[in-house]
């Protein structure tokens, strides 16, 4: 059921694959595809997909499903990436095999094959002439981002797929030290570095011929994780309240021990871990999708919170670079998760008003405008960037940055990326402060709404089977944008792909921005990691500065209905249905 050309490519791959596990898996697929029936058809489809091009190395590094073939994450693909990155660093910096050689920090999460991928990377980069420091076992992603800056390393690598499904893995790259650009050390790669590294990877020869060292790399000194804990503790005010009952879930990831250690050392001792999710488990057995944002992912945490009568639930994703929070909402009379935008404005406002932090408060274009309105009112600078922390972290003068997908950078001088562990400390402080005042974090949000109006956000995701479907929908939107949304005239349409620095402050990116007369906003863009078209919808509702709880509840209800109406109209505009 497969043609001779595909079979030949598969055989060539198998002959060069250094991993007996993926070689055996590929042999099994070839044997299955040689038969008949549904299983043979499925095997043939898998082979065709696995060999349809090469897993692209971009600004997020590599990420994809594990398995044999160039379109999958496996030891062969990782080996090429490690050699290509080493060649890039040596080409830029020189000094191979000397004290001036590029210094690379490598860490990994607890997913299947992550440790093997990290150790193979250490062996290859050491053999190439780099100096390598490998984490002592699995570790949170923010620790590698910190170590890249703290040790003045020239690059950092984390083998992780963050909150992706169990079948996935990835290869995340930071540049630092002499390899960094003018925007800072330990920041995710951006163009042109991504293309330069990709070109080096493409030029790597047969995988079996890549030199590998048997030793020669160093193991990360325990002083580095200790320095990280000390550094993130500076996010707290020395005299801030510490009395809060906290439920924490690590979502079967690698951040649990570090999160608990950070909370305990800073006086948050009433912490309850979700036992079934506390230890790393690459199969993520209690969740369908290991992302705190997904429906049902924090159900166990909420159940424990009700039992112990907690003040706040703090959830980290599996590699602990993201953080979510849930609280009791007095408007609903029960627990709910704060949206990424709500937590973003809460934390940003806290840094401005309570900590007195001065500088630039940044967020991505698809995140809420609420933070910038608060910053304006507080006499602080604000910045809107392209999507992703590779851009947010580069905002000049940044002191705080966030994106709606529960990513927060609260200490840019410590970790120039999203960090779910330092964020967890700031959330704990905010919850303890609210408790000391007999309030909830939702009531603090209400206070912000009284001063700026209520900004409410939601998303519409349209999953596609063929990426061309996204192109069709984007073309339809560009050619025939809606004239009104929820009864309000669309006053602005910006094609973000054309570049709109003058109007939005952003360089070109694939997306369309719609703005209405009533200050609602919609941004439509293709997902960078999934076969989806995503719509980020925001409404702005006026709030009386003297509004009581009941009045604010009515505004929230109105905002929810407004969001739902725009959602349905955008679905029709994009799909034609």
């Amino acid at each position: 059921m497969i043609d001779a050309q595909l079979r030949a490519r598969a055989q060539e791959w198998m002959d060069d694959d250094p991993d007996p596990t993926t070689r055996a898996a590929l042999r099994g697929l070839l044997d299955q595809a040689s038969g008949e029936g549904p299983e043979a058809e499925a095997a043939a489809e898998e082979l065709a997909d696995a060999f349809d091009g090469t897993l692209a190395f971009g600004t997020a590094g590599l990420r994809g499903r594990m398995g044999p073939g160039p379109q999958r994450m496996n030891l062969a693909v990782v080996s090429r990436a490690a050699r290509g990155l080493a060649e890039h660093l040596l080409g830029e910096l020189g000094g191979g095999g000397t004290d001036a050689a590029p210094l690379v920090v490598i860490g990994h999460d607890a997913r299947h094959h992550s440790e093997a991928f990290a150790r193979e990377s250490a062996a290859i980069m050491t053999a190439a002439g780099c100096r390598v420091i490998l984490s002592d076992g699995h570790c949170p992603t923010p620790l590698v981002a910190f170590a890249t800056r703290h040790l003045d390393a020239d690059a950092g690598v984390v083998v992780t797929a963050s909150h992706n499904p169990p079948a996935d893995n990835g290869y995340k790259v930071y540049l630092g030290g002499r390899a960094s650009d003018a925007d800072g050390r330990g920041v995710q790669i951006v163009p042109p570095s991504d293309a330069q590294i990709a070109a080096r990877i493409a030029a790597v020869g047969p995988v079996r011929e890549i030199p590998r060292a048997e030793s020669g790399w160093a193991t990360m000194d325990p002083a580095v994780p200790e320095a990280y804990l000390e550094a993130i503790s500076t996010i707290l005010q020395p005299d801030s309240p510490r009395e809060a009952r906290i439920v924490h879930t690590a979502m079967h990831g690698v951040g649990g021990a570090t999160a608990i250690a950070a909370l305990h050392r800073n006086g948050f001792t009433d912490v309850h871990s979700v036992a079934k999710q506390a230890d790393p488990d690459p199969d993520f057995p209690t969740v369908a999708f290991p992302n705190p944002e997904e429906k049902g992912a924090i159900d166990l945490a909420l159940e424990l919170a009700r039992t112990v009568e907690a003040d706040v639930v703090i959830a980290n994703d599996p590699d602990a670079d993201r953080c979510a929070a849930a609280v009791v909402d007095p408007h609903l009379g029960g627990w709910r998760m704060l949206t990424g935008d709500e937590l973003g404005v809460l934390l940003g406002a806290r840094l401005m008003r309570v900590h007195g932090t001065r500088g630039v408060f940044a967020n991505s274009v698809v995140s809420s405008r609420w933070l910038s309105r608060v910053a304006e009112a507080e006499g602080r600078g604000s910045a809107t960037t392209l999507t992703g922390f590779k851009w947010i972290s580069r905002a000049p003068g940044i002191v705080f940055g966030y994106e709606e997908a529960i990513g927060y950078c609260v200490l840019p001088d410590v970790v120039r990326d999203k960090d779910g562990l330092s964020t967890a400390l700031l959330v704990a402080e905010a919850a303890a402060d609210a408790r000391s005042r007999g309030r909830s974090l939702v009531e603090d949000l209400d206070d912000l709404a009284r001063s700026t109006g209520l900004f409410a956000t939601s998303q519409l995701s349209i999953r596609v089977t063929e990426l061309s479907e996204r192109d069709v929908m984007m073309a339809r939107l560009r050619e025939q944008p809606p004239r009104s949304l929820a009864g309000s005239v669309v006053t602005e349409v910006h094609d973000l792909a054309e570049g709109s620095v003058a109007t939005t402050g952003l360089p070109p990116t694939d997306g369309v921005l719609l703005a209405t007369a009533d200050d609602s906003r919609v941004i439509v863009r293709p997902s960078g990691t999934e076969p989806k078209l995503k719509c980020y919808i925001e409404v702005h509702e006026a709030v009386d500065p003297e509004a009581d709880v009941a009045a604010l509840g009515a505004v929230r209800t109105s905002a929810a209905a407004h969001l739902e109406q725009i959602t349905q109209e955008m679905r029709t505009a994009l799909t034609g249905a």
Side-chain angles (χ1 to χ4, degrees):
M1 300 188 71
I2 59 173
D3 61 35
Q5 186 178 18
L6 176 55
R7 184 176 293 278
R9 284 175 22 228
Q11 185 63 53
E12 182 182 5
W13 178 275
M14 204 160 31
D15 292 341
D16 193 39
D17 190 347
D19 187 347
T21 302
T22 46
R23 287 202 307 272
L26 186 51
R27 169 51 60 196
L29 284 171
L30 285 168
D31 290 345
Q32 274 190 320
S34 299
E36 296 181 357
E39 289 187 359
E41 185 176 344
E45 289 178 357
E46 171 63 19
L47 282 168
D49 188 58
F51 285 85
D52 182 20
T54 302
L55 196 62
F57 187 94
T59 51
L62 296 167
R63 190 176 294 186
R65 184 153 51 93
M66 289 180 282
Q71 275 277 57
R72 300 287 182 261
M73 281 295 297
N74 49 61
L75 201 62
V77 165
V78 166
S79 297
R80 288 180 177 276
R83 181 67 188 194
L85 177 58
E87 294 280 5
H88 171 76
L89 294 172
L90 290 163
E92 293 288 313
L93 307 175
T98 72
D99 291 343
L103 176 62
V104 183
V105 177
I106 301 175
H108 63 88
D109 66 14
R111 286 175 179 265
H112 292 297
H113 308 302
S114 285
E115 182 177 5
F117 292 168
R119 294 188 70 83
E120 188 79 350
S121 296
I124 288 171
M125 299 188 85
T126 299
C130 296
R131 294 172 294 149
V132 175
I133 297 174
L134 180 64
S135 64
D136 186 11
H138 54 67
C139 68
T141 289
L143 176 60
V144 177
F146 167 79
T148 304
R149 292 176 65 85
H150 180 68
L151 300 174
D152 202 22
D154 297 301
V157 173
V158 194
V159 180
T160 179
S162 190
H163 55 279
N164 275 37
D168 290 3
N169 216 323
Y171 203 79
K172 185 175 185 178
V173 177
Y174 300 98
L175 291 181
R178 296 169 298 161
S180 63
D181 55 31
D183 295 311
R185 298 172 291 114
V187 182
Q188 292 183 50
I189 56 173
V190 294
S193 296
D194 56 347
Q196 293 167 351
I197 296 170
R200 292 284 192 175
I201 293 171
V204 173
V207 174
R208 285 180 179 264
E209 295 179 11
I210 297 174
R212 294 164 174 80
E214 294 185 3
S215 61
W217 57 87
T219 300
M220 186 181 289
D221 191 315
V224 176
E226 175 60 27
Y228 170 71
L229 283 172
E230 183 178 343
I232 66 173
S233 297
T234 62
I235 191 61
L236 301 174
Q237 292 189 301
D239 58 350
S240 62
R242 298 292 198 271
E243 295 294 323
R245 183 163 296 158
I246 300 166
V247 165
H248 178 266
T249 175
M251 205 64 64
H252 297 295
V254 297
T258 307
I260 300 303
L263 289 165
H264 282 179
R265 76 159 47 198
N266 285 289
F268 298 103
T269 56
D270 194 357
V271 183
H272 304 258
S273 292
V274 179
K276 291 182 179 179
Q277 298 176 336
D279 297 325
D281 189 327
D283 295 318
F284 306 104
T286 69
V287 291
F289 201 102
N291 179 353
E293 294 180 290
E294 292 291 323
K295 184 176 177 60
I298 66 164
D299 282 358
L300 290 176
L302 294 178
E303 181 181 331
L304 179 58
R306 296 184 188 100
T307 300
V308 303
E309 298 182 337
D311 296 298
V312 64
V313 168
I314 298 175
N316 289 123
D317 71 338
D319 71 329
D321 66 348
R322 298 172 192 250
C323 182
V327 294
V328 173
D329 187 335
H331 299 292
L332 302 175
W335 283 86
R336 76 167 176 91
M337 183 183 286
L338 298 173
T339 69
D341 285 317
E342 287 175 328
L343 188 56
V345 73
L346 271 174
L347 297 181
R350 179 170 187 81
L351 290 174
M352 295 179 213
R353 295 178 170 182
V354 180
H355 290 227
T357 304
R358 307 198 73 84
V360 172
F361 290 75
N363 56 260
S364 63
V365 65
V366 297
S367 301
S368 175
R369 297 163 292 171
W370 202 351
L371 180 65
S372 64
R373 301 290 174 91
V374 174
E376 181 181 1
E378 295 295 320
R380 304 301 202 272
S382 64
T384 301
T385 75
L386 294 179
T387 304
F389 266 87
K390 57 184 175 285
W391 303 115
I392 297 169
S393 62
R394 283 178 161 77
I398 183 175
V399 292
F400 171 79
Y402 94 93
E403 63 183 359
E404 46 73 40
I406 61 172
Y408 308 91
C409 176
V410 300
L411 284 169
D413 289 340
V414 174
V415 174
R416 191 60 68 92
D417 195 11
K418 54 187 177 290
D419 179 357
L421 299 170
S422 54
T423 302
L425 286 177
L426 191 57
V427 171
E429 182 189 65
D433 188 15
R435 170 175 165 158
S436 73
R437 293 179 283 115
R439 295 165 62 86
S440 76
L441 290 179
V442 172
E443 288 172 290
D444 286 347
L445 274 175
D446 286 347
D447 283 347
L448 289 170
R450 290 185 180 97
S451 63
T452 62
L454 177 69
F455 289 82
T457 58
S458 67
Q459 283 188 37
L460 166 65
S461 291
I462 302 175
R463 184 172 289 274
V464 298
T465 54
E466 299 289 340
L467 294 182
S468 59
E469 296 176 56
R470 297 193 312 194
D471 298 335
V472 170
M473 286 188 284
M474 290 298 294
R476 180 184 293 119
L477 180 62
R478 287 182 167 108
E479 292 168 6
Q480 296 180 313
R483 295 182 179 180
S484 65
L485 290 171
S488 182
V489 174
V490 173
T491 55
E492 299 178 46
V493 179
H494 295 300
D495 186 346
L496 302 181
E498 295 178 354
S500 50
V501 175
T503 52
T504 67
L506 298 172
T509 185
D510 189 5
V512 174
L513 184 153
L514 309 174
T516 65
D518 65 358
D519 203 26
S520 297
R521 188 191 68 172
V522 176
I523 295 176
V524 184
R525 62 181 287 270
S527 169
T529 57
E530 298 178 274
K532 289 180 177 179
L533 193 67
K534 302 185 79 170
C535 301
Y536 302 84
I537 304 167
E538 180 175 44
V539 299
H540 183 204
E541 305 284 339
V543 177
D544 186 334
E546 304 299 323
D548 59 15
V549 173
L552 271 163
V555 173
R556 288 181 177 275
T557 299
S558 173
H562 195 173
L563 285 170
E564 179 59 25
Q565 186 173 352
I566 293 177
T567 298
Q568 295 306 321
E569 291 179 12
M570 285 305 303
R571 186 187 300 276
T572 299
L574 290 167
T575 65

